[in-house]
Amino acid sequence: MRKVFLGLLLLVSLSLFAGVKIGALLPLTGGVSAFGELVKKGIEVAFEEKSTVLGEKIEVVYMDTRSEKTEAANGIARLIDKEGVVAVIGEVISGNSIAAGEIAEKKRIPMVSPSSTNPLVTQGKKFVSRVCFIDPLQGTALAEFAAKTLKVKKATVLTDVEQDYSVGLSNYFMERFKKLGGQVLQLQYKSGDQEFSAQLSQALAFGSEAIVVTGYYNEIALVAQQARALGYKGYILTGDGADAPELIKIGGQAVEGIYFSGHFHPDAPVTKRSKLFVDAFVKKYGVKPSTLSALGYDAYMLVVEAIERAKTTKPELIAAAIRSIKNFEGATGTITIDSNGNATKDVVILTVKNGQFAFAAKISASVLK
């Protein structure tokens, strides 16, 4: 009898500790740590809303990539080999996701990026997907907005040659902008640069009506400050790499009026889940959520949805289920994952107004083909 009792006790104990592990591969320290922290907050809100799947407790295992490609590859390997995760949310920036995605593909573990927009992230992959739009869509939307709404004829594009995201976004913007009759001057910089006066002087000499900075918030804020200091009065445009509160903290008044492509704004909910997410986020953190938090939420919810659809924790079947998702109601909109793992959705144009991110326009995906 005692043996039976001990056996039952052991089974109960094991069931209490049983669970489904989902990895979260994020830059929690380093150059783009603000992005990682924002995504993490969104994941935490999603976890509080849905903490079980298939009758088991979900455990989110966080892994810091330190904002580096090598650590992204090492981190996902640790999540898979040592932690035994069945799926991974991450990484946040495209270069790191490309590095991590190679490992995910080799080990046949599904990976869903919240915010990596470069086409190479999913290209040729069966196990790597995303809940964000891709750079061809984003770059095209920026060009459409610049040419048709702002009536810009001349633009200087500043490209971070060390970031796959920046190179790709620049190319897609320029391709569409030229088709719309615009003239472009392309100049280069590198991540971590502090001084942009040489490039900005060339932009001013070119007669730029818009300066398009296809990078991340640190450099975007510095470019804006230095451009305004030189007397530049034109538009400053950028992609979703601007979408972090640090842009305003660093750039101050210089980033007022900047336009950037984005996925979401808390004051313009596009689905019922958008409002539920915003309310839950405000209750937990006391502030409105950023785009990256909403994308983190969507990535988590989509992975859980795929596990439920697959009715198993087998990674290969989860990956297939992710690719089958159509018209999924997320915080950032209605998401359909295509056969290449890319999300089809509308593009939002945001601006900085009175020191806050504000909704400016929405560009339908159907216009951007």
Side-chain angles (χ1 to χ4, degrees), residues 1-267:
M1 184 68 180
R2 188 169 181 271
K3 287 183 178 179
V4 173
F5 175 75
L6 289 173
L8 288 171
L9 184 63
L10 178 61
L11 286 173
V12 171
S13 299
L14 288 172
S15 67
L16 288 173
F17 289 100
V20 177
K21 285 188 175 183
I22 297 174
L25 186 73
L26 306 175
L28 299 174
T29 58
V32 290
S33 59
F35 288 164
E37 289 294 341
L38 291 171
V39 170
K40 184 180 180 183
K41 286 181 177 179
I43 292 172
E44 288 175 346
V45 170
F47 175 77
E48 289 186 3
E49 182 180 329
K50 196 167 185 63
S51 60
T52 62
V53 64
L54 303 181
E56 295 191 59
K57 183 76 175 176
I58 296 171
E59 180 186 350
V60 181
V61 183
Y62 290 96
M63 188 68 65
D64 182 13
T65 67
R66 304 178 195 170
S67 304
E68 297 174 3
K69 293 180 183 179
T70 301
E71 284 302 310
N74 292 338
I76 196 168
R78 288 195 293 273
L79 284 171
I80 297 167
D81 297 336
K82 294 184 178 180
E83 297 294 342
V85 301
V86 300
V88 176
I89 298 165
E91 220 256 15
V92 174
I93 67 172
S94 294
N96 293 356
S97 287
I98 291 169
E102 295 295 333
I103 307 300
E105 196 72 13
K106 185 183 298 182
K107 294 182 179 290
R108 304 177 75 80
I109 296 291
M111 177 180 121
V112 177
S113 173
S115 55
S116 296
T117 52
N118 189 289
L120 294 175
V121 170
T122 57
Q123 188 173 298
K125 306 279 195 311
K126 292 182 178 180
F127 289 84
V128 183
S129 302
R130 61 183 127 207
V131 295
C132 56
F133 51 60
I134 58 176
D135 286 336
L137 203 73
Q138 178 175 202
T140 301
L142 277 173
E144 288 277 328
F145 182 72
K148 295 181 178 178
T149 302
L150 302 181
K151 309 298 183 186
V152 170
K153 299 294 185 185
K154 281 189 172 185
T156 293
V157 177
L158 297 183
T159 304
D160 182 345
V161 293
E162 293 187 341
Q163 297 293 344
D164 300 310
Y165 160 76
S166 180
V167 173
L169 183 57
S170 293
N171 290 337
Y172 296 117
F173 172 87
M174 291 188 296
E175 180 182 355
R176 186 61 158 244
F177 189 68
K178 287 176 182 177
K179 282 184 179 178
L180 294 170
Q183 298 178 52
V184 179
L185 171 67
Q186 185 180 25
L187 302 171
Q188 298 180 347
Y189 71 95
K190 294 182 179 179
S191 297
D193 282 355
Q194 302 286 308
E195 177 58 47
F196 301 91
S197 58
Q199 296 97 319
L200 291 170
S201 294
Q202 292 181 67
L204 290 172
F206 180 64
S208 303
E209 298 166 296
I211 294 175
V212 185
V213 193
T214 60
Y216 297 117
Y217 57 88
N218 275 315
E219 289 80 13
I220 295 166
L222 292 174
V223 168
Q225 286 179 328
Q226 293 172 32
R228 298 308 185 200
L230 288 172
Y232 175 69
K233 303 293 185 184
Y235 298 110
I236 297 176
L237 303 175
T238 184
D240 60 336
D243 200 349
E246 281 69 17
L247 175 79
I248 299 170
K249 291 178 185 175
I250 298 167
Q253 185 62 32
V255 298
E256 189 75 12
I258 195 171
Y259 289 105
F260 61 95
S261 48
H263 310 254
F264 162 87
H265 191 276
D267 293 338

